[in-house]
Amino acid sequence: MSYFLNFYSLFFHTVLSLLLLSCAHDPSRTLSSTSTLTEDFLKKVMRESSREEPFYGNVLVAHGDDVIAEASLGKASEEFDLDNTKDSRFVLASVSKQFSAGAIHQLLERGRLSLNDKITRFIPLTSVHPQNQKAWEKITIADLLGHRAGLMKDPQPDFINTSKKYRLNHLVSEIIRDPRLTSQKYGQFSYSNIGYTLLARVVEIVTSFDFEMYVNFKLLRPLKAFQSGLYHRSKIIKSLATGYYRNEDNHYQRLCCVDFSTNMGSHNLYSSTHDLLKWTQDLMHHHKSVPPSLLEFEGASKVDANTTYMNGLYRTSHPKLGLHFTHDGFSGGYATRVSFFPERDLTVIILLNRVNVFTAQNQIEAIHQRIIDSL
């Protein structure tokens, strides 16, 4: 009997030792336990990044589904003296693009469209201003996802009224009638919000769903991301942090009168740090909502020697943390970053609702860098 007990004891300890050894050599498994990140550390970094403008917003760092540290600072509402909390929601600005790309990749997976489909399959040549029709004939779904369609960046104010609430079909009809729609940069990376508005319209045409309904039911609900949705100014949104900003004239003001329906597909989602963590985990691992193809970057555009772009994300390689996907967003009173490292299963989310137009980019970069340096 003692022989068998000794054998099983030796076997158990050998297996346990091997398991512990494998974990010790897997850096992604040890990241959360070795990190020095704490809530106090994040708050210190947030304050230090905002010498010229008080920090209003939330930051979250996670390893897998587990939150390593998170912190909230500043006001969600100065008018009502309400502080930001972990449940505060923020307009995502250009971070919204990856959700539009997610909808497109769902349709790609189901065979409803292909990356090589021309935009003329969905929006006829005759709908476009005659001056742009030759350029319009070239544009594919992949071109729109990779910002190489040769489109101008934003709808022009004399064609689009930013205080008006649009339906997506009416918005696109206005945009494509503008003779300035296209440029001479087809085939080169040239950032265009319009491209993602067109992709949102493609989703509507292919599915016969309203884009907002599609995003809510097909992208967000499978993730139980109930703190997220499409923003417009007339909607009552629980726990939405008000956007404040200091403009080019150094005037401090509250976001007012802009209806984000003019940026459908490119700018108008809102979310919280915890819902965005569900999103990055789905992109990296779970695929309850979005198929793996979104991160495969088929047909990606080259931005520079070290960076490619596709599907609402920049892809680079970090010397310490490996493959890196990221995107920032900036829009009247909000500044955002979603950043994740699949090889380490690391997510960093930064959401601000008080923005200095001159310093916001540097502020986000400084916070992100301090977090990465601490790992």
Side-chain angles (χ1 to χ4, degrees), residues 187-297:
Q188 303 173 38
F189 178 82
S190 182
Y191 196 91
S192 171
N193 293 316
I194 286 174
Y196 275 77
T197 296
L198 293 175
L199 288 168
R201 179 61 183 146
V202 167
V203 171
E204 286 194 340
I205 292 168
V206 171
T207 66
S208 300
F209 271 87
D210 174 85
F211 182 67
E212 179 172 6
M213 185 180 295
Y214 188 93
V215 170
N216 284 334
F217 281 88
K218 299 296 187 178
L219 286 178
L220 301 176
R221 185 167 289 191
L223 303 181
K224 298 183 179 179
F226 300 127
Q227 295 180 323
S228 306
L230 270 68
Y231 169 85
H232 55 77
R233 66 180 185 180
S234 61
K235 185 183 287 187
I236 297 171
I237 300 170
K238 181 181 178 182
S239 302
L240 181 71
T242 301
Y244 302 96
Y245 65 101
R246 194 171 299 282
N247 63 20
E248 292 87 345
D249 300 322
N250 204 32
H251 292 146
Y252 179 65
Q253 59 195 76
R254 175 174 61 87
L255 176 67
C256 171
C257 310
V258 174
D259 195 299
F260 277 63
S261 66
T262 57
N263 296 108
M264 277 186 279
S266 71
H267 270 67
N268 70 327
L269 263 77
Y270 67 86
S271 191
S272 65
T273 52
H274 283 261
D275 270 9
L276 288 169
L277 175 58
K278 294 175 184 177
W279 173 252
T280 62
Q281 284 299 293
D282 196 64
L283 291 179
M284 289 190 281
H285 303 299
H286 306 315
H287 310 300
K288 295 177 183 177
S289 177
V290 179
S293 58
L294 190 142
L295 295 188
E296 290 168 3
F297 265 44

Side-chain angles (χ1 to χ4, degrees), residues 90-134:
F90 301 77
V91 175
L92 299 183
S94 285
V95 168
S96 304
K97 291 181 175 68
Q98 57 200 258
F99 291 85
S100 299
I104 290 291
H105 276 264
Q106 286 184 343
L107 299 178
L108 290 169
E109 185 182 49
R110 294 166 192 161
R112 304 289 299 277
L113 50 76
S114 79
L115 288 175
N116 294 323
D117 279 342
K118 298 287 182 67
I119 189 66
T120 50
R121 175 186 166 189
F122 313 100
I123 302 173
L125 198 62
T126 52
S127 303
V128 184
H129 191 281
Q131 184 175 309
N132 299 313
Q133 289 183 359
K134 188 174 181 180

